[in-house]
Amino acid sequence: MESANELLTILPLIIIGAAGLFVMMLDAFTGSARLAYLFTVFFSAAALVAAVSNLFGPTGESFHNLIVYGGIAAFGMVLVMIGTLFSVILTRDYLEKTDSHIAEVYSLILFASFGMLLLVSSNNLLTLFLGIETMSISLYVLAGLVRDRKQGVEAALKYFLLGAFATGFLLYGIALLYGASGSTFLVDIAATDDKGLIFWAGVALLLVGFFFKISAVPFHMWTPDVYQGAPTTITAFMATASKAAVFVAFILVLSRALPEARDGWSDVIWLFAIFTMVVGNILALVQDNVKRMLAYSSIAHAGYIMIGLAAGTGAAYSAVLFYLFAYTLMNIGAFGVVAYYEWHKGYDFTAVKNYSGLGFQQPVIGVLMSVFLFSMVGIPPFAGFIGKYRVFAAAIDEGLISLVVVGVLASAASVYYYLRVLVHLYMKDNETGITLERPGTVYTAVLLLLALLTIYFGVNPGVLTDLLGSFKGLHY
Amino acid sequence: MELLLNIVIYLPLFGALLLLFIRRDEWVRWTSLIITTAAFLLSLPLLLQFDISATGSAQFMTVGEPFLGDWDVKYMVGLDGLSMLLFMLTTFMAPIVVLSSWDSITKHVAGFFSMLLILQTGSLGVFAALDLFMFYIFFELTQIPMFFLIGIWGGEDRIYATVKFFIYTLVGWLLMLVALIYVGFAAGNMVNDGVFTTDWMLLTSPEFQLGLVEQTWLFLAFGFAFCIKVPIFPFHSWLPLAHTEAPTAGSVVLAAIALKMGTFAILRYLIPLFPNAAIAFAPMFAVLGVIGIIYGALVAMVQKDVKKLVAYSSISHLGFVVLGMFAFNTTGGQGAIIQMVNHGLSTGALFIIVGMLYERRHSRMIADFGGVAKMMPVLTVMFMIATLASIGLPGLNGFVGEFLILVGSFNSDVLGSYWYAVFAALGVILAAGYMLWMFQRVMFGPITHEENKKLTDINAREIGLLIPIMIFIVWIGVRPTDFTKYSEAQVTWLLEDTQNRAAAIAHNAAGQDLPFWAEKLYDITPQLASEPGLVIEKSEQSENPEQKRK
């Protein structure tokens, strides 16, 4: 009975793992991308339901303490599954329109998603490493999905080489921490008395590994190329689900393994948050390609989130989780719209000037894009604003006012590049002469749902903030 | 009544959603007109039921549940003497704005009118909000439609204008957001059992006492945001651009409603929240106000473009409002409020009239006109009234506001010098100069351009939309107390209460270690500590903020 309950705690993991294998076999025997798609959507939805129900269930550790479940881990699973489910639905239309719809996509997405689920529920640095690697290797392949596209191959190779390098840092950090504390369990590391050079070197290397995965400056170099080169909906998946998963794992490590060392890492994150916000926003200002712009904007968003990590209190972590939720919704939405515009001319129809005058052609899509972009700017009444507000507030409460002022000024600069897209959509005349086709009903419905959620959680954030607040004391 | 207030606020937003489902342009126009007219009519009972003698708290209040989790941030709207007139001005101008863009907007009609309606809900919310956080949300809600109104339906240089407008404003307001959060936590510790709060009633309660150094920084952060929005010299450079490039309706809303949000926010939040800093910085703001008055007037004088001229005259008029508020007496405060209304009416009318000329002539250059009075006699009369009102001719509304402000600043104890009034009065003279000169060049003289001979006078719709404004311009000029009575009690209370709280905080600060600049700024003498009266002791909770927070 005990073991059955243990299995329930990782039900989303089991569903997604089994689904990945099943879809891979399905592909081998039928080769039908359509069937693979349907099963993927079904299993992802099932895993999402399981994750949501875990959210309200008990919390604790299972599988010989290798896994944490409930609370923040369950919320991480929800984030990952939202990212997976919506990206999968958008992926199908996008790949069909660009004639690269192959069934392998879905099993790879499911495997990546499996890695993320493991990542957000890891209670041990080795579980964490397994999760990161499962996720990353699947993502390397996904980035180069379209084989005859130069940028895609470049993206995949770049991602792989740099990713492997960063993994080395991460693993070395884990090894050093093991050397210092004699264990890879998060709680044992927290309990270690000997905080000498080896311990701090381990922490530093671990931070480098995480900074690479969340694309903090100066470890961000891969991000724009990979985000631009990968198929757009896959970029959406990478930018949301994997980012969210790594951030949740980061919180787990910081709050469970290194709570005592907070004074040490808080200053480091403080510094890198400033780099990330400033550089991310400034480089985003000069991008002419919407996908690259969104890549730099996601770097900038990582910077804002790091403000919350630097604050390092329960309130700050719950603010970060809210931010991640809002970020997931609006980013999938924005990439979804970019993918929609892109498929009319094949790949790389993503220069911002290509968007001139498209806003009024399909008004619904235009309005949805406005919602996503204004939410990214951080303007009420959208969820992005509440996320930013809570993160800033948590930091101000901890006295990090100068950091918040930098964040605020950086986000004021960010307005320009988000607005630029809207300026082209609505205020310039159509130059390319393309006529937009109607997007599919499902496609529109998904984007609409994302926009409605963005508005709903902007107007009524209490539902979620109460839930996130209730995690306090359980896992951080 | 509470429900009615909410209906008035959200009816336009509902109307905006409705417009998305209407296909025919003609129906879109009629629906917007009906919605805005209904909102205006529904707001009248609020005015009639308003208790003019009430001070302190607001009326028709709706207080919602906290919606930000563990923070005490609530949906809170209501009206008081500070907001009543501006709220009515907003509902009153809305149908006029809709009518003024009846024919001139031909592309994306539904989009245009839904933006106008969303803007109205945002503006009404800004005036009615009683929670700083709600105020911020409603304010941003007005920025998005404004961005699109200028950017899509504006003139040649619209994109630069709208992006500059949006970013300029946002920079100020984001810095204010940081200060707002700080105020929220501080207020939570002092007056709300450690729970974050931005409730206006609590923020103005005597127990909420920010330290002098804190106050200075917070005041500057808030002040920066509001200065940009008003705009106060030297943060005005976005305004002429946005005004000139915006479509007529956008200019009217910007002048009549949106600019008032800045001045209103100064009166509602900046002055009462940071009483000591407000008094210490009052001369500085008054100087900036006077500079704005004279600078705006001088620049207006040399404009070749009528619309730009009116835009610069706005800077001049808003300088008066700022001067009046920082006079810290009832006369000045009353003058400021009525001047906000006046500016909304007369500048709104001027922008509408310039828009009418532009529709016929497709030019706004003064040099392209001349002798228009012969072709358009009805418009000339309207234009004349609006011009004279803007100058401040006795008997019309502009005089009332400017006179009260001049008297208020002349007698001000806080400003302590009559020179402010002297220089401000210079602005009135300059106004007569640039307005009348412009009027003469546009309307009188021989017709020098062939095109002007084909001008047709304004039609029934255009007359109809100007008449109500003209009625109020005369009404306020002749019987100002019909209007000033709404704000009198609350303004008196607010300014007195602010000064009392400032005295109490200064009393408690006496003897504390302050940085040298703060000592200079606030002039805290040791005698203050021994002075009796006006002292409100700090409450128990404020001494132990750390414990309370847990």
Side-chain angles (χ1 to χ4, degrees), chain B residues 349-393:
Chain B
L350 286 173
F351 275 123
I352 292 174
I353 291 166
V354 173
M356 289 169 178
L357 284 172
Y358 181 78
E359 272 171 48
R360 287 168 173 72
R361 185 67 173 71
H362 296 287
S363 167
R364 294 185 304 253
M365 293 299 150
I366 296 178
D368 286 344
F369 292 97
V372 176
K374 296 190 187 75
M375 310 309 299
M376 307 175 76
V378 184
L379 181 90
T380 309
V381 175
M382 303 285 186
F383 200 177
M384 192 75 211
I385 298 175
T387 305
L388 292 175
S390 177
I391 295 168
L393 185 81

Tab-separated table of all heavy atoms in Angstrom, chain B residues 349-393:
chain	number	residue	atom	x	y	z
B	349	ALA	N	-12.773	72.421	-25.848
B	349	ALA	CA	-13.513	73.102	-26.906
B	349	ALA	C	-12.564	73.600	-27.987
B	349	ALA	O	-12.841	73.469	-29.190
B	349	ALA	CB	-14.304	74.269	-26.321
B	350	LEU	N	-11.422	74.155	-27.572
B	350	LEU	CA	-10.465	74.662	-28.561
B	350	LEU	C	-9.963	73.542	-29.469
B	350	LEU	O	-9.887	73.697	-30.691
B	350	LEU	CB	-9.286	75.344	-27.864
B	350	LEU	CG	-9.579	76.719	-27.263
B	350	LEU	CD1	-8.390	77.211	-26.462
B	350	LEU	CD2	-9.925	77.707	-28.362
B	351	PHE	N	-9.642	72.414	-28.877
B	351	PHE	CA	-9.168	71.300	-29.700
B	351	PHE	C	-10.251	70.823	-30.656
B	351	PHE	O	-9.984	70.476	-31.808
B	351	PHE	CB	-8.680	70.135	-28.826
B	351	PHE	CG	-7.258	70.274	-28.387
B	351	PHE	CD1	-6.920	70.271	-27.051
B	351	PHE	CD2	-6.243	70.413	-29.322
B	351	PHE	CE1	-5.607	70.399	-26.641
B	351	PHE	CE2	-4.925	70.551	-28.918
B	351	PHE	CZ	-4.602	70.541	-27.577
B	352	ILE	N	-11.491	70.799	-30.171
B	352	ILE	CA	-12.586	70.375	-31.045
B	352	ILE	C	-12.703	71.341	-32.222
B	352	ILE	O	-12.849	70.941	-33.380
B	352	ILE	CB	-13.902	70.294	-30.249
B	352	ILE	CG1	-13.830	69.144	-29.246
B	352	ILE	CG2	-15.075	70.110	-31.188
B	352	ILE	CD1	-15.006	69.070	-28.321
B	353	ILE	N	-12.604	72.643	-31.916
B	353	ILE	CA	-12.761	73.638	-32.977
B	353	ILE	C	-11.610	73.553	-33.974
B	353	ILE	O	-11.817	73.600	-35.195
B	353	ILE	CB	-12.871	75.045	-32.348
B	353	ILE	CG1	-14.198	75.156	-31.616
B	353	ILE	CG2	-12.736	76.122	-33.405
B	353	ILE	CD1	-14.307	76.338	-30.697
B	354	VAL	N	-10.389	73.386	-33.450
B	354	VAL	CA	-9.256	73.222	-34.363
B	354	VAL	C	-9.466	71.992	-35.236
B	354	VAL	O	-9.176	71.998	-36.441
B	354	VAL	CB	-7.939	73.111	-33.557
B	354	VAL	CG1	-6.789	72.779	-34.477
B	354	VAL	CG2	-7.666	74.389	-32.818
B	355	GLY	N	-10.018	70.935	-34.609
B	355	GLY	CA	-10.306	69.726	-35.376
B	355	GLY	C	-11.300	69.988	-36.492
B	355	GLY	O	-11.166	69.493	-37.611
B	356	MET	N	-12.324	70.799	-36.191
B	356	MET	CA	-13.327	71.122	-37.208
B	356	MET	C	-12.699	71.888	-38.369
B	356	MET	O	-13.006	71.643	-39.538
B	356	MET	CB	-14.443	71.960	-36.594
B	356	MET	CG	-15.335	71.174	-35.651
B	356	MET	SD	-16.416	72.281	-34.741
B	356	MET	CE	-17.348	71.069	-33.814
B	357	LEU	N	-11.821	72.820	-38.023
B	357	LEU	CA	-11.131	73.572	-39.082
B	357	LEU	C	-10.258	72.634	-39.910
B	357	LEU	O	-10.213	72.717	-41.138
B	357	LEU	CB	-10.263	74.678	-38.463
B	357	LEU	CG	-11.012	75.910	-37.957
B	357	LEU	CD1	-10.066	76.823	-37.201
B	357	LEU	CD2	-11.664	76.648	-39.111
B	358	TYR	N	-9.590	71.725	-39.226
B	358	TYR	CA	-8.679	70.821	-39.927
B	358	TYR	C	-9.438	69.911	-40.883
B	358	TYR	O	-9.007	69.662	-42.006
B	358	TYR	CB	-7.905	69.983	-38.907
B	358	TYR	CG	-6.923	69.036	-39.549
B	358	TYR	CD1	-5.706	69.485	-40.034
B	358	TYR	CD2	-7.227	67.683	-39.694
B	358	TYR	CE1	-4.813	68.635	-40.643
B	358	TYR	CE2	-6.339	66.815	-40.303
B	358	TYR	CZ	-5.136	67.298	-40.769
B	358	TYR	OH	-4.260	66.443	-41.370
B	359	GLU	N	-10.614	69.448	-40.436
B	359	GLU	CA	-11.405	68.571	-41.306
B	359	GLU	C	-11.778	69.264	-42.610
B	359	GLU	O	-11.875	68.647	-43.658
B	359	GLU	CB	-12.705	68.169	-40.598
B	359	GLU	CG	-12.590	66.935	-39.747
B	359	GLU	CD	-13.843	66.737	-38.921
B	359	GLU	OE1	-14.947	66.824	-39.491
B	359	GLU	OE2	-13.704	66.533	-37.708
B	360	ARG	N	-11.999	70.552	-42.523
B	360	ARG	CA	-12.437	71.278	-43.719
B	360	ARG	C	-11.269	71.723	-44.576
B	360	ARG	O	-11.368	71.780	-45.794
B	360	ARG	CB	-13.244	72.508	-43.293
B	360	ARG	CG	-14.612	72.140	-42.780
B	360	ARG	CD	-15.279	73.314	-42.092
B	360	ARG	NE	-16.659	72.985	-41.758
B	360	ARG	CZ	-17.010	72.140	-40.796
B	360	ARG	NH1	-16.087	71.536	-40.082
B	360	ARG	NH2	-18.290	71.895	-40.558
B	361	ARG	N	-10.173	72.041	-43.936
B	361	ARG	CA	-9.094	72.719	-44.641
B	361	ARG	C	-7.844	71.837	-44.738
B	361	ARG	O	-6.957	72.119	-45.510
B	361	ARG	CB	-8.781	74.014	-43.868
B	361	ARG	CG	-7.787	74.933	-44.471
B	361	ARG	CD	-8.307	75.544	-45.753
B	361	ARG	NE	-7.361	76.556	-46.207
B	361	ARG	CZ	-6.174	76.275	-46.707
B	361	ARG	NH1	-5.795	75.034	-46.835
B	361	ARG	NH2	-5.363	77.252	-47.090
B	362	HIS	N	-7.784	70.758	-43.946
B	362	HIS	CA	-6.629	69.861	-43.900
B	362	HIS	C	-5.342	70.600	-43.636
B	362	HIS	O	-4.303	70.312	-44.225
B	362	HIS	CB	-6.534	69.025	-45.176
B	362	HIS	CG	-7.723	68.120	-45.306
B	362	HIS	ND1	-7.888	67.013	-44.521
B	362	HIS	CD2	-8.825	68.221	-46.078
B	362	HIS	CE1	-9.041	66.449	-44.809
B	362	HIS	NE2	-9.633	67.157	-45.741
B	363	SER	N	-5.449	71.571	-42.803
B	363	SER	CA	-4.249	72.285	-42.379
B	363	SER	C	-4.511	72.843	-40.992
B	363	SER	O	-5.643	73.135	-40.629
B	363	SER	CB	-3.928	73.422	-43.333
B	363	SER	OG	-2.952	74.257	-42.748
B	364	ARG	N	-3.416	72.948	-40.233
B	364	ARG	CA	-3.553	73.566	-38.918
B	364	ARG	C	-2.663	74.787	-38.818
B	364	ARG	O	-2.524	75.376	-37.764
B	364	ARG	CB	-3.162	72.565	-37.826
B	364	ARG	CG	-4.076	71.380	-37.705
B	364	ARG	CD	-3.662	70.540	-36.533
B	364	ARG	NE	-2.276	70.143	-36.646
B	364	ARG	CZ	-1.881	68.900	-36.950
B	364	ARG	NH1	-2.773	67.967	-37.146
B	364	ARG	NH2	-0.602	68.609	-37.050
B	365	MET	N	-2.032	75.148	-39.930
B	365	MET	CA	-1.107	76.277	-39.905
B	365	MET	C	-1.878	77.588	-39.861
B	365	MET	O	-2.808	77.791	-40.643
B	365	MET	CB	-0.217	76.263	-41.157
B	365	MET	CG	0.731	75.094	-41.193
B	365	MET	SD	1.843	75.151	-39.778
B	365	MET	CE	2.163	73.428	-39.515
B	366	ILE	N	-1.466	78.460	-38.960
B	366	ILE	CA	-2.159	79.747	-38.843
B	366	ILE	C	-2.096	80.488	-40.169
B	366	ILE	O	-3.076	81.093	-40.615
B	366	ILE	CB	-1.496	80.588	-37.725
B	366	ILE	CG1	-1.681	79.872	-36.383
B	366	ILE	CG2	-2.093	81.983	-37.678
B	366	ILE	CD1	-1.031	80.566	-35.229
B	367	ALA	N	-0.950	80.391	-40.839
B	367	ALA	CA	-0.754	81.139	-42.077
B	367	ALA	C	-1.721	80.710	-43.174
B	367	ALA	O	-1.998	81.466	-44.097
B	367	ALA	CB	0.681	80.962	-42.549
B	368	ASP	N	-2.228	79.487	-43.091
B	368	ASP	CA	-3.149	79.011	-44.126
B	368	ASP	C	-4.561	79.552	-43.945
B	368	ASP	O	-5.417	79.355	-44.804
B	368	ASP	CB	-3.207	77.480	-44.128
B	368	ASP	CG	-1.945	76.885	-44.729
B	368	ASP	OD1	-1.217	77.642	-45.393
B	368	ASP	OD2	-1.699	75.682	-44.523
B	369	PHE	N	-4.824	80.175	-42.814
B	369	PHE	CA	-6.179	80.680	-42.584
B	369	PHE	C	-6.192	82.185	-42.767
B	369	PHE	O	-5.300	82.771	-43.389
B	369	PHE	CB	-6.650	80.293	-41.187
B	369	PHE	CG	-6.865	78.816	-41.038
B	369	PHE	CD1	-5.873	78.009	-40.491
B	369	PHE	CD2	-8.037	78.227	-41.476
B	369	PHE	CE1	-6.073	76.647	-40.372
B	369	PHE	CE2	-8.227	76.857	-41.357
B	369	PHE	CZ	-7.242	76.072	-40.800
B	370	GLY	N	-7.190	82.815	-42.209
B	370	GLY	CA	-7.334	84.264	-42.367
B	370	GLY	C	-8.689	84.534	-42.988
B	370	GLY	O	-9.035	83.954	-44.026
B	371	GLY	N	-9.463	85.357	-42.312
B	371	GLY	CA	-10.765	85.700	-42.840
B	371	GLY	C	-11.807	84.603	-42.747
B	371	GLY	O	-12.848	84.679	-43.390
B	372	VAL	N	-11.528	83.607	-41.936
B	372	VAL	CA	-12.464	82.483	-41.836
B	372	VAL	C	-13.808	82.947	-41.277
B	372	VAL	O	-14.858	82.368	-41.591
B	372	VAL	CB	-11.846	81.375	-40.963
B	372	VAL	CG1	-12.808	80.233	-40.752
B	372	VAL	CG2	-10.554	80.879	-41.592
B	373	ALA	N	-13.788	84.028	-40.487
B	373	ALA	CA	-15.018	84.490	-39.850
B	373	ALA	C	-16.111	84.787	-40.882
B	373	ALA	O	-17.301	84.565	-40.627
B	373	ALA	CB	-14.736	85.738	-39.024
B	374	LYS	N	-15.709	85.241	-42.046
B	374	LYS	CA	-16.713	85.566	-43.060
B	374	LYS	C	-17.439	84.326	-43.542
B	374	LYS	O	-18.628	84.368	-43.849
B	374	LYS	CB	-16.029	86.224	-44.265
B	374	LYS	CG	-15.395	87.551	-43.936
B	374	LYS	CD	-14.956	88.250	-45.213
B	374	LYS	CE	-14.172	89.507	-44.904
B	374	LYS	NZ	-12.793	89.235	-44.446
B	375	MET	N	-16.704	83.218	-43.628
B	375	MET	CA	-17.304	82.005	-44.159
B	375	MET	C	-18.005	81.203	-43.066
B	375	MET	O	-18.938	80.464	-43.337
B	375	MET	CB	-16.237	81.126	-44.810
B	375	MET	CG	-15.329	81.829	-45.799
B	375	MET	SD	-16.233	82.768	-47.027
B	375	MET	CE	-17.169	81.483	-47.818
B	376	MET	N	-17.503	81.290	-41.852
B	376	MET	CA	-18.019	80.426	-40.779
B	376	MET	C	-18.426	81.257	-39.565
B	376	MET	O	-17.776	81.185	-38.515
B	376	MET	CB	-16.947	79.410	-40.376
B	376	MET	CG	-16.393	78.613	-41.529
B	376	MET	SD	-15.044	77.529	-41.044
B	376	MET	CE	-15.926	76.207	-40.237
B	377	PRO	N	-19.506	82.002	-39.672
B	377	PRO	CA	-19.878	82.887	-38.557
B	377	PRO	C	-20.224	82.147	-37.262
B	377	PRO	O	-19.841	82.602	-36.175
B	377	PRO	CB	-21.099	83.637	-39.096
B	377	PRO	CG	-21.587	82.828	-40.244
B	377	PRO	CD	-20.394	82.129	-40.832
B	378	VAL	N	-20.893	81.009	-37.365
B	378	VAL	CA	-21.287	80.303	-36.133
B	378	VAL	C	-20.058	79.798	-35.408
B	378	VAL	O	-19.904	79.959	-34.193
B	378	VAL	CB	-22.247	79.134	-36.457
B	378	VAL	CG1	-22.717	78.495	-35.164
B	378	VAL	CG2	-23.410	79.620	-37.285
B	379	LEU	N	-19.154	79.195	-36.177
B	379	LEU	CA	-17.934	78.686	-35.567
B	379	LEU	C	-17.175	79.827	-34.895
B	379	LEU	O	-16.610	79.664	-33.816
B	379	LEU	CB	-17.042	78.028	-36.618
B	379	LEU	CG	-15.753	77.449	-36.027
B	379	LEU	CD1	-15.950	76.006	-35.603
B	379	LEU	CD2	-14.587	77.568	-36.966
B	380	THR	N	-17.199	80.989	-35.554
B	380	THR	CA	-16.460	82.129	-35.009
B	380	THR	C	-16.947	82.487	-33.613
B	380	THR	O	-16.143	82.746	-32.717
B	380	THR	CB	-16.624	83.345	-35.944
B	380	THR	OG1	-16.309	82.936	-37.261
B	380	THR	CG2	-15.704	84.465	-35.518
B	381	VAL	N	-18.255	82.475	-33.447
B	381	VAL	CA	-18.798	82.803	-32.126
B	381	VAL	C	-18.295	81.805	-31.085
B	381	VAL	O	-17.800	82.177	-30.013
B	381	VAL	CB	-20.342	82.810	-32.175
B	381	VAL	CG1	-20.897	83.023	-30.772
B	381	VAL	CG2	-20.826	83.854	-33.138
B	382	MET	N	-18.407	80.525	-31.427
B	382	MET	CA	-17.981	79.484	-30.487
B	382	MET	C	-16.484	79.629	-30.171
B	382	MET	O	-16.053	79.538	-29.022
B	382	MET	CB	-18.205	78.099	-31.107
B	382	MET	CG	-19.618	77.840	-31.525
B	382	MET	SD	-20.645	77.511	-30.098
B	382	MET	CE	-22.175	77.085	-30.888
B	383	PHE	N	-15.733	79.818	-31.218
B	383	PHE	CA	-14.288	79.926	-31.086
B	383	PHE	C	-13.952	81.112	-30.177
B	383	PHE	O	-13.093	81.034	-29.303
B	383	PHE	CB	-13.677	80.122	-32.483
B	383	PHE	CG	-12.209	79.786	-32.577
B	383	PHE	CD1	-11.548	79.871	-33.802
B	383	PHE	CD2	-11.475	79.388	-31.470
B	383	PHE	CE1	-10.201	79.565	-33.907
B	383	PHE	CE2	-10.129	79.080	-31.569
B	383	PHE	CZ	-9.496	79.174	-32.791
B	384	MET	N	-14.677	82.205	-30.393
B	384	MET	CA	-14.443	83.411	-29.601
B	384	MET	C	-14.677	83.127	-28.116
B	384	MET	O	-13.865	83.480	-27.262
B	384	MET	CB	-15.415	84.499	-30.081
B	384	MET	CG	-15.105	85.872	-29.567
B	384	MET	SD	-13.678	86.525	-30.460
B	384	MET	CE	-12.947	87.554	-29.241
B	385	ILE	N	-15.816	82.474	-27.821
B	385	ILE	CA	-16.123	82.199	-26.418
B	385	ILE	C	-15.032	81.328	-25.800
B	385	ILE	O	-14.515	81.608	-24.709
B	385	ILE	CB	-17.498	81.498	-26.289
B	385	ILE	CG1	-18.593	82.421	-26.810
B	385	ILE	CG2	-17.763	81.112	-24.838
B	385	ILE	CD1	-19.954	81.788	-26.836
B	386	ALA	N	-14.648	80.266	-26.526
B	386	ALA	CA	-13.638	79.361	-25.983
B	386	ALA	C	-12.313	80.086	-25.788
B	386	ALA	O	-11.623	79.901	-24.779
B	386	ALA	CB	-13.447	78.162	-26.914
B	387	THR	N	-11.975	80.953	-26.742
B	387	THR	CA	-10.721	81.706	-26.638
B	387	THR	C	-10.736	82.617	-25.422
B	387	THR	O	-9.795	82.635	-24.625
B	387	THR	CB	-10.513	82.549	-27.904
B	387	THR	OG1	-10.565	81.680	-29.032
B	387	THR	CG2	-9.181	83.252	-27.877
B	388	LEU	N	-11.832	83.342	-25.273
B	388	LEU	CA	-11.912	84.266	-24.145
B	388	LEU	C	-11.908	83.514	-22.822
B	388	LEU	O	-11.310	83.955	-21.841
B	388	LEU	CB	-13.159	85.135	-24.278
B	388	LEU	CG	-13.100	86.109	-25.460
B	388	LEU	CD1	-14.418	86.847	-25.608
B	388	LEU	CD2	-11.957	87.090	-25.297
B	389	ALA	N	-12.584	82.350	-22.814
B	389	ALA	CA	-12.583	81.551	-21.590
B	389	ALA	C	-11.169	81.126	-21.259
B	389	ALA	O	-10.751	81.124	-20.103
B	389	ALA	CB	-13.479	80.336	-21.763
B	390	SER	N	-10.429	80.750	-22.282
B	390	SER	CA	-9.073	80.281	-22.072
B	390	SER	C	-8.179	81.418	-21.559
B	390	SER	O	-7.291	81.200	-20.737
B	390	SER	CB	-8.533	79.716	-23.383
B	390	SER	OG	-7.214	79.310	-23.228
B	391	ILE	N	-8.430	82.611	-22.036
B	391	ILE	CA	-7.644	83.762	-21.570
B	391	ILE	C	-7.971	84.087	-20.125
B	391	ILE	O	-7.103	84.489	-19.349
B	391	ILE	CB	-7.946	85.000	-22.445
B	391	ILE	CG1	-7.474	84.755	-23.864
B	391	ILE	CG2	-7.314	86.245	-21.862
B	391	ILE	CD1	-7.980	85.768	-24.846
B	392	GLY	N	-9.238	83.888	-19.737
B	392	GLY	CA	-9.638	84.196	-18.377
B	392	GLY	C	-10.374	85.511	-18.294
B	392	GLY	O	-10.143	86.326	-17.397
B	393	LEU	N	-11.269	85.728	-19.229
B	393	LEU	CA	-12.082	86.940	-19.211
B	393	LEU	C	-13.101	86.850	-18.080
B	393	LEU	O	-13.766	85.826	-17.937
B	393	LEU	CB	-12.816	87.076	-20.547
B	393	LEU	CG	-13.612	88.349	-20.744
B	393	LEU	CD1	-12.687	89.475	-21.166
B	393	LEU	CD2	-14.710	88.147	-21.769
